[in-house]
Amino acid sequence: MQVAFELYQKQTLKLSLTPELQQSINILQYSTHELIDFLNRQAYENPVLEISFKEPPASLSIRTNSQIRGSSSKSKGFNGDNDYNPINNHSVSTETLERHLLEQLSLLSSLNAFEKKILQFLIGNLNDYGFLELDVHWTASHFSVPEEEIENMIQILQSLDPIGVGAKDLTDCLLIQLREHGNHNELAYKIVKKHLADLAEKRYRKIAALHQVTVQEVQEASDFIRTLNPRPVSNFSDDMTHYIVPDVYVEKDKEGFLITVNDSCTPKLSINPYYKNHVAINSVNPDKDYIRGHLNDARLLLKGLEQRQMTLYKVTASIVEEQHEFFMKGITGLKPMTLKDISEKLQLHESTISRATSNKYIQTPHGLFKLRNFFTRGLHRVNSPATESTATIKEKIKVLIADEDKIKPFSDQKLCQMLENEGTKISRRTIAKYREDLGIPGSSKRRRF
């Protein structure tokens, strides 16, 4: 056998992810906030790009009923009477809990400077729930004062607004509120102090037997306790407010639905004409290759943005057509739909549909939703090839439970039978799962006495 080198040609098919394709994929899956950050970085890194926030570019719009019937241009900017500005629709309190307490502390003229210093220390050590977890003995040693004085300062802190601040834990917080309440309920006080876990599990019979009262009295005490605030400092927050900007708007009018892809929040990018002319005129300039490279990158970026906008409105238009009943009736009209349904309709890959709907929000006549919420599984109806989405079934469960007799609430098996009578084929186990997803407790915990 002779071993030798050979030279031959072989033709193969290979999938290559070009930089242009990779950038288009990234742009498509960005949310509005992520896209703004990305464009700012690109404008900073590419000298031929110009970025502007002054005038929002025109958004791409289409009208559709059951099919696309035309197109128009409409911008969801921040100028004009009908424009949407999320900042104008959100009220934010800039006052923090610490500032609120320190303002009250400054008004306590009966305290000396040292006592106020201790209180300032205590206020600075409150946790996110407004609870004080400091050890009294350690704090007394830190300030070289008796423990009784620290206890007195804690009581003064607990007398400040909001009532319940400075408590040791949830139980202490509720007890403070009960003591401050004008109509002091002794049974409610005992339940909070000794049976808070049983109350959470609604073991009313056990509590009634221990305190020799009726179940109805325990129920009334429970109702009273639920009027208290377990997190009295919830109105004070140092967290930054996060705004949700819809990526797409769907508005109903006489002719059908108007779909608007919102790009008013994203900056407007353009190529500086100076660099175009510089490359065209100075053909032998040593900077020509450098500028040309950035010009190509800028053109690819603008093309990627255009493709993102076009893909997003095509996907949204298909969703509106497939989920026409939802946009007409609301959540009860939502039907099962998969990414494959839209991909086959648009002749696009499922991964493209997934990226186009990832982290995107749509403003509909029935509220703000994630685009992903329209892709839901379904169950077959009895003696029918039709299916119902899980969202529709959950809504039915919610309505049935809301209308039930609170003294004899429906069991999961009963809900199963009621839905089957309406034509929805579903198991008791699935009912329990959907009920838990909705945050609704079981029938034993929903029962009123």
Side-chain angles (χ1 to χ4, degrees):
M1 180 178 178
Q2 186 178 3
V3 180
F5 291 104
E6 289 187 16
L7 183 64
Y8 63 92
Q9 291 182 336
K10 183 179 180 181
Q11 188 175 13
T12 59
L13 292 175
K14 185 179 180 182
L15 181 63
S16 177
L17 192 63
T18 63
E20 179 182 357
L21 180 58
Q22 188 173 5
Q23 180 172 259
S24 297
I25 289 173
N26 290 334
I27 291 176
L28 182 59
Q29 68 185 4
Y30 284 149
S31 65
T32 300
H33 293 289
E34 292 171 338
L35 183 63
I36 292 172
D37 293 338
F38 172 75
L39 295 182
N40 280 320
R41 290 197 306 269
Q42 292 297 311
Y44 177 78
E45 296 171 359
N46 193 332
V48 307
L49 279 174
E50 289 186 344
I51 187 168
S52 174
F53 291 90
K54 293 182 179 179
E55 295 182 2
S59 300
L60 196 56
S61 306
I62 62 172
R63 287 188 181 275
T64 177
N65 193 349
S66 59
Q67 59 181 353
I68 299 175
R69 298 191 289 106
S71 64
S72 63
S73 179
K74 183 177 180 182
S75 176
K76 290 284 183 182
F78 288 166
N79 299 314
D81 295 336
N82 297 323
D83 294 336
Y84 172 76
N85 187 344
I87 298 177
N88 292 337
N89 290 274
H90 189 92
S91 177
V92 182
S93 174
T94 57
E95 187 176 31
T96 64
L97 174 65
E98 184 176 7
R99 185 183 303 171
H100 181 69
L101 294 173
L102 290 177
E103 286 179 356
Q104 296 177 70
L105 179 60
S106 65
L107 300 176
L108 299 178
S109 57
S110 59
L111 300 178
N112 58 43
F114 183 69
E115 289 173 332
K116 288 186 177 181
K117 183 178 180 181
I118 296 176
L119 273 171
Q120 290 173 355
F121 178 81
L122 296 178
I123 291 172
N125 282 276
L126 295 173
N127 64 17
D128 294 337
Y129 298 96
F131 298 157
L132 185 64
E133 298 175 341
L134 280 179
D135 181 70
V136 175
H137 177 73
W138 179 89
T139 309
S141 300
H142 177 75
F143 286 98
S144 301
V145 295
E147 293 184 16
E148 290 76 12
E149 185 167 352
I150 301 299
E151 293 284 0
N152 291 335
M153 293 300 104
I154 292 176
Q155 288 183 10
I156 294 175
L157 173 60
Q158 292 175 352
S159 67
L160 300 179
D161 179 74
I163 299 300
V165 69
K168 298 176 183 177
D169 49 31
L170 175 60
T171 300
D172 193 27
C173 175
L174 296 178
L175 291 176
I176 292 171
Q177 295 180 57
L178 284 171
R179 286 194 294 266
E180 292 292 328
H181 203 280
N183 184 17
H184 188 65
N185 190 312
E186 289 293 336
L187 180 58
Y189 192 90
K190 293 176 182 178
I191 292 174
V192 169
K193 191 171 184 179
K194 299 180 179 179
H195 309 290
L196 200 57
D198 290 328
L199 180 66
E201 295 298 324
K202 296 192 175 182
R203 302 188 185 109
Y204 297 150
R205 296 186 185 278
K206 176 183 176 181
I207 298 173
L210 289 172
H211 292 279
Q212 297 181 349
V213 295
T214 64
V215 178
Q216 288 77 9
E217 289 178 298
V218 176
Q219 180 82 70
E220 291 174 2
S222 173
D223 293 340
F224 177 70
I225 292 170
R226 292 181 189 281
T227 63
L228 306 177
N229 190 352
R231 292 194 61 181
V233 301
S234 57
N235 293 330
F236 303 92
S237 176
D238 295 327
D239 295 335
M240 183 180 295
T241 303
H242 299 280
Y243 299 100
I244 295 178
V245 180
D247 298 273
V248 189
Y249 293 85
V250 177
E251 299 169 284
K252 190 177 185 302
D253 58 17
K254 295 179 181 179
E255 301 179 12
F257 292 97
L258 176 65
I259 301 175
T260 307
V261 178
N262 180 29
D263 59 2
S264 62
C265 295
T266 56
K268 182 179 180 180
L269 290 182
S270 59
I271 298 177
N272 192 319
Y274 169 79
Y275 292 101
K276 289 182 181 179
N277 299 331
H278 185 75
V279 171
I281 296 173
N282 301 286
S283 57
V284 295
N285 192 292
D287 298 332
K288 179 184 65 175
D289 293 337
Y290 172 80
I291 297 175
R292 181 179 288 133
H294 282 295
L295 283 173
N296 290 335
D297 292 340
R299 292 190 184 101
L300 291 178
L301 176 60
L302 295 177
K303 184 178 179 182
L305 291 173
E306 184 180 353
Q307 289 177 344
R308 176 187 186 272
Q309 192 178 16
M310 185 67 69
T311 303
L312 187 55
Y313 96 71
K314 282 183 177 180
V315 170
T316 305
S318 296
I319 291 175
V320 172
E321 292 179 13
E322 290 292 319
Q323 299 286 1
H324 184 261
E325 289 298 310
F326 165 83
F327 290 93
M328 292 296 294
K329 300 178 181 178
I331 196 70
T332 56
L334 192 65
K335 70 176 186 179
M337 186 176 70
T338 64
L339 294 173
K340 186 178 180 181
D341 295 332
I342 301 299
S343 68
E344 291 178 349
K345 188 179 181 67
L346 296 177
Q347 296 297 307
L348 295 173
H349 197 274
E350 285 186 45
S351 62
T352 302
I353 307 301
S354 176
R355 293 187 183 97
T357 56
S358 177
N359 299 320
K360 308 292 193 308
Y361 288 85
I362 177 171
Q363 183 68 51
T364 74
H366 306 289
L368 184 69
F369 297 88
K370 286 185 176 181
L371 274 174
R372 280 297 183 91
N373 290 349
F374 293 95
F375 299 95
T376 176
R377 295 174 297 173
L379 296 174
H380 288 282
R381 292 184 61 83
V382 178
N383 301 322
S384 173
T387 57
E388 284 184 303
S389 70
T390 56
T392 302
I393 297 172
K394 286 180 179 180
E395 187 67 19
K396 286 185 176 181
I397 294 172
K398 189 190 298 184
V399 171
L400 288 173
I401 291 177
D403 296 336
E404 70 184 357
D405 183 355
K406 302 304 178 185
I407 298 177
K408 295 181 180 180
F410 298 136
S411 65
D412 292 340
Q413 185 61 42
K414 180 63 177 178
L415 290 170
C416 178
Q417 293 173 359
M418 295 173 70
L419 288 175
E420 285 190 4
N421 292 337
E422 294 181 4
T424 303
K425 187 178 180 181
I426 189 171
S427 67
R428 184 198 61 79
R429 232 166 163 191
T430 307
I431 290 284
K433 179 180 181 299
Y434 289 173
R435 177 178 51 72
E436 290 173 1
D437 290 343
L438 293 169
I440 300 175
S443 58
S444 61
K445 294 182 181 179
R446 300 198 308 271
R447 183 182 178 188
R448 301 283 299 181
F449 295 94

